[in-house]
Amino acid sequence: GNIDVIELNRRRALGMAELGDWKAAAEMYACAGDFAKAVKIYSEHKYVDGLQSVSRKLPKTEMKLLKQCAEVMHMRGANQMCKEIYLKINDIKSLLSLYVELHQWEDAFMLVKDYPGRGYEKDLYLPYAEYLVMNDRFEEAQRAYQDAGCPENSMKMLQQLTYNAVVEHRFVDASYYYH
């Protein structure tokens, strides 16, 4: 019956692994339902398509394996697949972190809006404020620092801007920042 097929796939997987055909071995392990071994092989060889295939078969209760798949995908730049896994396991913090890293601010803001009161605001507004500062969008950055609950960062930024303006003899700017 069914047990024989699974056992046969396991033996085949072992044989493939011994032959050095790791891709086939991982596929056989996946067919045998031994997802942990499949994920281990795919991860070691950084085979994103294999990980995607396994991650779609895994139930969302297999958090550890799914996170391992997402980690390798993230390292390989397969961000869409990564996003798929984070959504599957409802890992909002990791998804937000991915959006922030990729500067997908619109998606990040929508996500935070969908999960109010969970404390994700700081994980978004602080890096967003720093992004705005790096892009010379100081007034927006000031608001983002306030929204992040970090007014001291806003003050530090204004002090730095004022100082720079004075040093560079931009006194109109300096008075504006000081005000």
Side-chain angles (χ1 to χ4, degrees):
N2 201 13
I3 308 287
D4 299 334
V5 174
I6 290 172
E7 188 50 41
L8 186 63
N9 281 332
R10 275 211 181 97
R11 286 190 189 143
R12 278 192 189 143
L14 212 55
M16 296 297 177
E18 283 170 6
L19 291 172
D21 189 350
W22 57 265
K23 191 174 165 189
E27 284 166 11
M28 289 294 148
Y29 279 126
C31 288
D34 196 338
F35 295 115
K37 280 190 178 144
V39 167
K40 186 178 190 297
I41 293 170
Y42 284 142
S43 296
E44 283 170 1
H45 295 276
K46 296 172 179 56
Y47 185 60
V48 170
D49 291 341
L51 287 170
Q52 181 181 26
S53 165
V54 169
S55 71
R56 286 181 172 161
K57 288 176 188 153
L58 281 169
K60 58 177 119 199
T61 51
E62 289 286 352
M63 294 274 252
K64 195 174 170 210
L65 282 179
L66 284 163
K67 280 188 176 228
Q68 191 180 338
C69 290
E71 231 172 77
V72 175
M73 288 173 178
H74 185 239
M75 283 178 356
R76 307 298 292 167
N79 296 317
Q80 200 53 41
M81 291 181 213
C82 218
K83 179 183 165 186
E84 192 180 301
I85 292 176
Y86 292 147
L87 286 169
K88 180 175 183 166
I89 61 175
N90 204 29
D91 186 349
I92 304 308
K93 196 168 177 68
S94 294
L95 183 57
L96 179 59
S97 177
L98 182 68
Y99 285 149
V100 166
E101 183 187 321
L102 299 173
H103 295 177
Q104 292 178 349
W105 302 115
E106 219 171 284
D107 292 329
F109 280 104
M110 282 196 317
L111 190 65
V112 168
K113 205 174 117 206
D114 289 345
Y115 293 90
R118 298 255 188 108
Y120 296 132
E121 290 77 11
K122 198 166 190 162
D123 295 334
L124 170 57
Y125 286 107
L126 206 51
Y128 183 59
E130 286 157 9
Y131 164 82
L132 292 170
V133 168
M134 297 298 286
N135 289 282
D136 298 334
R137 292 162 60 188
F138 303 114
E139 281 180 37
E140 291 169 88
Q142 194 176 358
R143 271 195 307 279
Y145 279 129
Q146 298 293 338
D147 292 339
C150 299
E152 66 283 356
N153 294 52
S154 179
M155 286 303 296
K156 268 190 251 169
M157 178 192 70
L158 284 174
Q159 287 167 346
Q160 189 61 52
L161 288 172
T162 307
Y163 175 78
N164 292 350
V166 169
V167 168
E168 295 163 15
H169 302 287
R170 292 182 292 114
F171 301 113
V172 174
D173 287 344
S175 67
Y176 174 77
Y177 295 136
Y178 187 74
H179 176 72

